[in-house]
């Protein structure tokens, strides 16, 4: 069993393959408060400013993290915001599907209270109009 655990670490899907590309077109938040909320709750999966925790280097957690970051950046990327659909993001925050509970379980600082969710939703909607 230990050999399987060690062997799985050799599968080349770990966070060491991740990169944080340069910021191309940074999102322009309407308020500093909205940006602060987004950085705490969204940027690890939805930007090129991902912070990789220690478990990101251990399979199979590294595989899940790699998938979540790739999908997150594909859906909404605050570091390459040009064509992002922030209306969809506002809907996801409003309905409580973002940030996902599996993320907030390990990152309690990313949990949004009602006031923070409102600030973020209003900012994303405004950003969609601008």
């Amino acid at each position: 069993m230990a050999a399987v655990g060690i062997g799985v670490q050799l599968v080349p899907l770990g966070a060491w393959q991740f990169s944080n590309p340069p910021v191309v077109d940074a999102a322009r938040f309407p308020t500093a408060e909205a940006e602060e909320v987004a950085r705490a709750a969204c940027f690890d999966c939805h930007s090129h400013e991902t912070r990789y925790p220690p478990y990101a280097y251990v399979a199979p957690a590294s595989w899940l993290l790699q998938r979540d970051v790739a999908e997150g950046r594909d859906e909404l990327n605050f570091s390459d915001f040009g064509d992002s659909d922030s209306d969809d993001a506002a809907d996801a925050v409003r309905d409580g599907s973002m940030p996902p509970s599996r993320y907030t379980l390990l990152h309690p600082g990313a949990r949004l209270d009602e006031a923070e969710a409102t600030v973020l939703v209003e900012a994303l909607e405004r950003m969609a109009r601008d």
Side-chain angles (χ1 to χ4, degrees), residues 3-58:
V4 171
I6 293 169
V8 86
Q9 302 309 312
L10 302 175
V11 177
L13 295 174
W16 55 90
Q17 293 183 321
F18 282 147
S19 64
N20 277 328
V23 174
V24 176
D25 181 16
R28 291 161 197 80
F29 289 89
T31 67
E33 180 184 18
E35 182 173 359
E36 183 179 319
V37 170
R39 284 187 176 280
C42 312
F43 267 51
D44 276 345
C45 291
H46 295 283
S47 79
H48 294 170
E49 299 178 45
T50 303
R51 296 167 296 165
Y52 297 103
Y55 63 81
Y57 300 93
V58 180

Side-chain angles (χ1 to χ4, degrees), residues 75-106:
E75 288 294 319
L76 175 73
N77 191 333
F78 290 113
S79 297
D80 190 4
F81 199 69
D83 293 328
S84 291
D85 189 352
S86 54
D87 264 342
D88 285 348
D91 290 341
V93 172
R94 186 182 294 107
D95 72 20
S97 61
M98 282 291 150
S101 58
R102 72 177 181 275
Y103 180 75
T104 59
L105 181 65
L106 295 173

Side-chain angles (χ1 to χ4, degrees), residues 49-70:
E49 299 178 45
T50 303
R51 296 167 296 165
Y52 297 103
Y55 63 81
Y57 300 93
V58 180
S62 60
W63 306 340
L64 299 173
L65 191 136
Q66 180 181 31
R67 183 200 66 202
D68 287 350
V69 170

